[in-house]
Amino acid sequence: MSARRPLDTGALGGASSSKNTTDAVISDNAAPCAVADEPSSARKQPPPEKASDVRRRTYVIVSFWLIVLLLGLPIWWRTTTIHRANLPLDEMLDWADGKACRPVFPLRISIRANSLQEQEAQNLLRLTQHALDDLNDFSGHHLRLQLSPPAAEETHNGDDGAALTIRLIPGESTTSTLDPYAPVLDITYPPNSIPSPTSSSSSLATYVAGQLRSTFAEEQAIISFLLSNNSIPSEHRPQGLTPEAAESLSKRTTRSLKYAPTYHLTFSLFTSGPLPSSWDIEAAIDEFMKPVLNVLTPIHNFTIDTQVQLYASPGVQSQILSKEDLSSFINAAEWPLSPSIGGAPTINFIVFVGNQTILAAPREPPKTEDGLSTSQSWLVPQWGTVYLLSLPSDTTHVSAATLRQPLLTFTSHLLSLTGTPQSGSLPLRLSTLARIRSADLLLRASSTLGSLARLALALPSISIPGSVADGVSKTMTHLRLACETLGGPEGLAHARIAEAEAERAFFEKSMVGQLYFPDEHKLAVYLPLLGPVGVPLLMGLLNEIKAWRKRRRERAERGAEKKKE
Amino acid sequence: MDGGKVTLGRTAGLYLGAAVLRLALFTLFPGLADLLTGRVEISTPVTSFKRLQEGLFLYDHNVSPYDGGVYHQAPLFLPLFSLLPSLPIFTYLLYIAVDILSAGALLKIADSGEAGSSALFTSPRREKRWSGFVIAAVFLFNPFTIATCIGRSTSVFTTCAILHAISRAVAGAPFSAMVALSFAAYLSMYPLLLLPPLLLLCYDRQLPERAIKPGMRSAATNILVVVGVLAALFQMSYLMTGSWEFLPSTYGVQLTLSDLTPNIGLWWYFFIEMFDSFRSFFLAVFWLHLSCYVGGLTIRLRRQPLVVLTLLLGIFSIFKPYPSISDASLFLAMVPLYRHVFPLMRYTFVIAAVIMYTTFLGPAFYHLWIYAGSGNANFFYAITLVWGLGQSLLVCDLTFAVLRDEWEVERPEMAGKDIRQI
Amino acid sequence: MRQLLSLLLLSLVALFFAPRASAADYHEQLVLRPLPLSALLASFNFRSNTTLSAFEAHNFRFFPRSLGQILQHAGTRELHLRFSLGRWDAESWGARPWDGAREGGTGVELWAWLEADTDEEADRKWRTLTNALSGLFCASLNFIDGTRTTRPVMSFQPEGNHPNSAMTNVHLLYGVLPHEVVCTENLTPFLKLLPCKGKAGIATLLDGHKLFDASWQSMAIDVRPVCPPGGECVLEMEQTIDMVLDIERSKRPRGNPIPRPPPAHELKCDTAKPYHSGDTCFPADYNANQDWSLSQIFGKTMKGTCPLTDPNVPPVCLQVPNSRGVYITEGATEKKNLDLVSRCYEIAPDTPEFEMVLPRPESSEESGQAVAVQEVVKPETPLLYAERSFTGHGQEHGGVQTILRNPSPDTKVEFIYMETLPWFMRIYLHTIEARIEGQAGSSKQDPLIQEVYYRPAVDRARGTQLEVRMRIPPASTVFLTYDFEKSILRYTEYPPDANRGFDVAAAVITILNPNPNATSPRFAAYNLRTTSLLCSLPTPDFSMPYNVIIFTSTAIALAFGGMFNIIVRRFVAADEGPEMTLTAIKERLRKRFGGLLQKYRGKGG
């Protein structure tokens, strides 16, 4: 209307405006009341309803609502909720962040100095400990010296749980030799180098400390490397891990297989032609490999199988194999090297009978670091070893003697594949391996817990069966135990169990299978039935409540009138 | 009331006629029985005669009929039918006898006049009513009833049990009424929902010469009777089959609808297309919807329990998991009892038209889907929808008519005026 | 004296060969048999043994490690695996190779004896076995679940010799996948299991294109322990490939594989026909295309021999009448057998290639029949003909009819007929009926159906298992029929190609050996499988879930709303109470919003 105004001539404009004002006035005061009483005047009210009818209607509505509330809601709840067992999420995250456990490896070193008097030895011990603590920078891994009683003379190796035993033997100069068959370090010293009780420092003490430190340097490095790779808060972080050391360590850890209680060793004889078709592998294994396997048994079990494969053409046809050929030498498509189905990881040891040889590149230095790749064999990280065996073309049978060299290579590679450190004597390396593995397992289990917790938080509509919950609880109890007994054999056992449980809980099938419905979808399914059915129910209930209120008010008024009279 | 005595000869003739008609259909068209047995409209997974035969065969060969997906019917059928001589004629006679028994019960109900004037309410229109003879005839010659009988669907036993329960209740014999009801419940579960109105009916129709028991006590005794009889039946079934596995296979199938064979109901296609994660929820909702009417109707129509029974039967014949036309025939047999309120019904023509339409189009569309292949499942589904709507319209309209009839008692001046609900 | 010497020699040989296992650990043989109607049956057989001790010690030489591991891990005592394709035309080709013992129904068939204490453990091991095998053979064997697994009672017996003590807690499980399409990716792993791979010996003839182009082929793997009397028990693995090649089809030049009618002068007509004349010709089947060479039908020649094979077993044998001449490459020597219908070829180890040519038999140009007899060995008639088909129409009810014909004029044949049906085929066992053609029913004193084992299906849990022991009198045809009902499934249970239908596994017919003895120790004299069937179920409209939800819900809501309002609301006369007409609603709206409207107008004014 206001839009039309400018077109109007004055008179019309005046008229129209007056009309506006008038009906505006009318509508302002008169309209409401008119609307209010106009129909009531035309229509007559129904007679008052009987009280019995009212009560009956109430009962009817209540009967419907009782069914909805007592049966409908519980059923809806039962049939549409997703079962989520409650997990100790905070604890799990604590484990993942390393707050729950601070990995420390207390190593007890027992010194046996039978030729020294008590207080001299004590003094030396104190000084050496001082020197060690000065040298050590990594709180998580520290050596504690102790004096072993002379009584334990015969049992020379460090029984009573000591990681290493130092034998101090008087000699003419200070030398140190590591016993190859027992964790024993023999140190000879000239008699004059015994520190006097008063002196605050001693060359012998520093020497011993240095020896110990160098002995355990690698283990310390590896453990600190593991910790640094993990999300351990920085105050536990070891310092002073040089980047190149870290780089070589990471190389080594990537090469070694993921820890498993059991490894499956597969020895395969591949020949490019029809011959040879049989070998004395059993005898060879018993002779050359069993000793090491027996030594490893406290940490791993091994199952073995062997096979012979003829007419196996390698992936690379050239006679001389260069470095880049090695990666593609194994013909994965043709060769039946399927991993074992038992669940244990498989380590493949392949003897390839052929006339190929590896081109020893002259310019790059021969990889003597661990002799993992020679002119005849090379190690495939986390997979196994290939050994090129060249035999006269008419040999039909490979004897055990021929297999000697290959199997020795395999043995050394097996050690590095299981992640055994290189330096030190064998017993020392194995005990170190146990400690490294337990630390590794501990960290992996806790990180698995963390990711499970994050998953549970991220997907609110994923179902968490009870098996996961108790798996998690088992994991955490064993983690706690492992954390307490870290460095010992039972620590390894606990860590092993914890890791297995954590994996099982994380890869629970029924959790993966849970499919997820967005809310719009639920709405589209529920609304068509529950909407139209719910509306009348709701309206009935509301009307009933309104009427009930009204009745109560009337009753109150009636009561008031009665009082007046 | 006294019509019964006078027309005794007529009723005998009626029964004879019905029996002769059925026997003729059985014998003159030998293929007809098996044809009808195969129709989804007549025999559902829980009432099919062919499945019963399979169950019998397995039972006679010492294979547990419930260790399989075919037989979902009550265990006591097995001895009953295996005692029957193997000639088919005996089966025919048994089904015919059952139909005539149902008709007799219906006739008793009609002649009692309970429909017109119950203990607490007397309709002003009650004079305008059909005699029991007519009503029994309508039942016996209803094509649905005849088809069910020829198709030898075992639901006729349930029908018979329900009708007898009502007639005994009307006759003032609560005990036998309860026994009959528990038989019906044992055969096909859902009649258990008829218990509350039936209790009221028994209470209202207690014979005057017996001391009027207080309501609660009589109800409690009746419920105890039902529980006892059901327990006895289950025990017998257990002793017969040697295990409880008949429970999931008989009643579990009705609860979970694991067999999705098409029928005239609304459940099968819904649960074919339903998403698996919502299946259980909607099963529960459908069952709740089926049972939620019992309370409301019983309270609202407290003065006419027989009406409540009729309406519930109508609702069941629409919303049961495995309905068939035999349920419809039971409902349609009860409706004529309310001849006196027919004038108050509003959509008589629409209802009749819809029921006719679906009766003829249903089989045609099913044929198009299954045999001709020129139509898909939606054809038959649409017809079942229309059928359900038509029947629910009939139920609602009957309710309206009965309620208006009640209402006009307290406001006689309103007769014939047009009214509305607020 | 000489014996002593030979003994000494033997011992020397033994000493020399001591490190190697005895040469009989592996042998392979190819048998070629021309069949009527220009078909050629080629059956390859590879057998490799390993001593049980070596097997237990995980030392694999000829026995493939990949399979051995699986067997050990799943505690499998005996394993039978079949990949089959096509149909064996018994009417014209006669009896099946190996008496049908090395063939399966269309698709993949697997049965094994597993060592387990309880049924649950057996099922668990069975699942492991099927999963591992499906990975090994690139077949979807892992779909053999509870609904496709049965435990046959009568049809199968272990073929190996097991110690009775071990057989106490051994379970037989049988699974079949009729829907599986056997193809090249199954052949490659099959060849990989051979010691000589595909690189030497008769295996070089095997080629995916030819194999799966055959009119019928069946790959079989059988693993069973065999204890030779007085010898050490060995685990024997037998790999068999039988294929029936259509020679004409195989000889078709690679260049234009489209078949074209041959020119008139090349047509070979059956002049015996009365209507034979210059312009009408009835093609004579029998003498058609009986000339072929290895390279023609297999696409390549045979590359030498596998050096590991047992030298005493000739690698190639040919079953044609001795009257026919055959050209072979030099270096191979022909040995005609005494039965006058078969000959074998020894091939020198250093022969690079072996080729064999059957020339067109002379004088076969005129009048086929007479000559035909001499140029192909007449196939022997099988013990039983069987064919199975669906009866009835529509997607609601149906029936299965199996026609079993006993051709022999004098001996009755007794066999076990086994069906494993999917659960959605609800069979009515009371309708099962066997009647001899021409007679009304089966006679009482000697009924056709001797014994029935029946395990009914449970919805979504397990399939039907039906085993019937029947006896058919001589020279008679028997119809075995029963009805079933096709159930409708949830729409998520249909495959993507729902309207194609569901494959029903072949029926396994095991003809019992009347008197098992030393010469024929197997308990089955002859096995045959019917063809598999295609069962079409009623299908819902897959595009409709939401529509159905809405429609049905609306119907229910209408009924509920109507009922609820009628019994809850109060009756009044039409002219009583608050009005519920359009004008009234308008009034109400006016009452509510009129004020605002006026205010707005007021502003305007």
Side-chain angles (χ1 to χ4, degrees), chain A residues 193-214:
Chain A
S193 65
I194 297 299
S196 63
T198 58
S199 66
S200 68
S201 77
S202 138
S203 61
L204 178 57
T206 42
Y207 178 77
V208 172
Q211 284 301 322
L212 282 174
R213 175 145 170 62
S214 62

Side-chain angles (χ1 to χ4, degrees), chain A residues 43 47 57 277 309 333 521, chain C residues 61 192 197 546 568 570 577:
Chain A
R43 308 172 61 84
R57 178 183 300 119
S277 67
Q309 294 293 336
H521 177 79
Chain C
R61 182 151 169 259
K192 256 197 224 173
K197 309 284 176 284
Y546 287 99
V568 159
R570 172 190 180 195

